[in-house]
Amino acid sequence: LIDLPTAGILEKGFVGITMDLMPAGVVIPKIEVGVMDGFSFGISYGGSNIIGSGKVDMYKLPAINVRVRVLDESIALPAFTLGFDSQGKGFYNKDLNRYQIKSPGFFVAASKNFEFLGYLSLHGVLNYSLERDDADNDLNLGVGFEKTLGGRFSLVGEYDFAVNDNTGKALGDGKGFMNFGVRWSVGDGLTLGLNLRDVLNNKKISTAAADRGIFIDYVKGIF
């Protein structure tokens, strides 16, 4: 989806390279590898003001992404994946030791696909972020969907309840993060996308109702 993890996992022998481009010059590249059946590993690193002028503010540390598929999808049941993802989004607040949009941390995600005028995918996630210096360390949850529009386009949407970012010194305002995006499968493993983040204007320091961003994804089998 956009910021929430899903039960999707790279197949063995495939490598995925993604790039998130966000406001304030934020750039977050990630590389992920399908190490074996049902297991993938990735690493990402980025910062703010990379695009633009003035001083570049890199994130404190690289982030890791580990996923393990514990149950494959069947006719009756969704797929389930356990994972850990330490990559947040937006600027990094050094005083609170957290990203503007918290990283998922430890998570369990479920995904189910349906045939409906093409394909419809429904997703749910329960996560626990390790970014807790803001005195809000609740368990969090989110839901999302993806709907194909013809053979090359799809619409994605998600709602992060952000219950771990609404009290104490939290940067969220209690409305949660509602995000939407459009994906275009160009071909040969390349996907381009446009994102609208925070449609409900949940970020306390933001006056804009939505942040526009660009998403690039390239997947290729190499072994």
Side-chain angles (χ1 to χ4, degrees):
L1 295 176
I2 299 172
D3 293 330
L4 293 177
T6 72
I9 193 169
L10 279 178
E11 296 182 14
K12 177 183 177 180
F14 280 78
V15 173
I17 299 173
T18 64
M19 183 88 69
D20 255 314
L21 307 174
M22 300 172 59
V26 171
V27 178
I28 308 173
K30 180 178 77 171
I31 183 168
E32 188 172 4
V33 180
V35 180
M36 61 181 67
D37 292 335
F39 176 76
S40 69
F41 176 82
I43 188 167
S44 57
Y45 188 54
S48 56
N49 209 34
I50 293 177
I51 297 176
S53 60
K55 182 185 177 184
V56 173
D57 189 10
M58 300 300 296
Y59 290 151
K60 183 178 179 180
L61 293 170
I64 61 170
N65 183 324
V66 181
R67 296 168 184 259
V68 179
R69 173 68 59 79
V70 295
L71 182 67
D72 290 326
E73 182 179 355
S74 65
I75 294 177
L77 295 174
F80 283 92
T81 294
L82 297 176
F84 176 77
D85 187 353
S86 58
Q87 184 63 73
K89 302 287 180 70
F91 67 82
Y92 189 83
N93 188 310
K94 296 178 181 178
D95 293 331
L96 297 177
N97 198 30
R98 57 160 290 183
Y99 296 93
Q100 184 179 21
I101 302 172
K102 283 187 175 182
S103 61
F106 293 99
F107 68 87
V108 56
S111 299
K112 190 78 172 73
N113 296 294
F114 303 90
E115 288 191 25
F116 175 69
L117 301 177
Y119 289 97
L120 171 67
S121 301
L122 300 180
H123 307 274
V125 61
L126 192 66
N127 70 285
Y128 184 73
S129 178
L130 297 184
E131 295 165 43
R132 299 172 294 178
D133 287 359
D134 58 4
D136 193 342
N137 55 6
D138 293 331
L139 198 65
N140 187 46
L141 69 156
V143 293
F145 75 91
E146 180 173 5
K147 178 67 185 75
T148 58
L149 304 172
R152 290 188 176 272
F153 291 90
S154 62
L155 174 67
V156 297
E158 63 183 24
Y159 181 68
D160 179 352
F161 288 81
V163 292
N164 63 347
D165 193 14
N166 59 7
T167 59
K169 299 178 182 178
L171 302 180
D173 203 24
K175 295 187 286 289
F177 291 100
M178 181 175 288
N179 309 321
F180 292 99
V182 176
R183 300 289 182 262
W184 173 32
S185 178
V186 179
D188 295 326
L190 178 63
T191 300
L192 304 179
L194 297 174
N195 294 324
L196 282 179
R197 281 186 176 87
D198 196 18
V199 175
L200 300 179
N201 194 22
N202 183 58
K203 296 191 293 292
K204 287 182 178 179
I205 64 171
S206 174
T207 58
D211 296 339
R212 297 179 298 275
I214 296 173
F215 174 78
I216 304 170
D217 180 46
Y218 180 69
V219 177
K220 184 176 179 61
I222 60 171
F223 64 90

